Amino acid sequence: MMKKKYSDCFYCGVVVEERLMPREVRWEGRLFVFENVPMGVCTQCGEKFLVPQVAKSIDSMLQRPRKPTKTLAVPVHEYKSDVV
Ligand SMILES: [Zn+2]
């Protein structure tokens, strides 16, 4: 029997499917965005799970950043309570 790549969801116990998703990582005060990262996504609660190999690859890309594919401009908002 083939070993499943992802265990069932840690939180709700349902099937986790692999998808290519964006992942944002803050590292040394900078925000890095990785696109098309293979990760397990719970089909019920949407919780995401990384296999150790993928987490390791992201770490090594952070250690030795290459030229980014593209750059995003991100709006930043100061938090202000709107609750009356
Ligand atoms: Zn779940």
Side-chain angles (χ1 to χ4, degrees), residues 9 11-14 42 44-47:
C9 180
Y11 301 99
C12 40
V14 306
C42 174
Q44 182 164 285
C45 73
E47 187 66 30

Side-chain angles (χ1 to χ4, degrees), residues 19-25 33-39 48:
R19 298 205 195 131
L20 297 177
M21 304 280 288
R23 181 156 183 92
E24 288 142 38
V25 185
V33 181
F34 296 94
E35 287 189 321
N36 298 313
V37 178
M39 61 181 88
K48 299 177 188 93

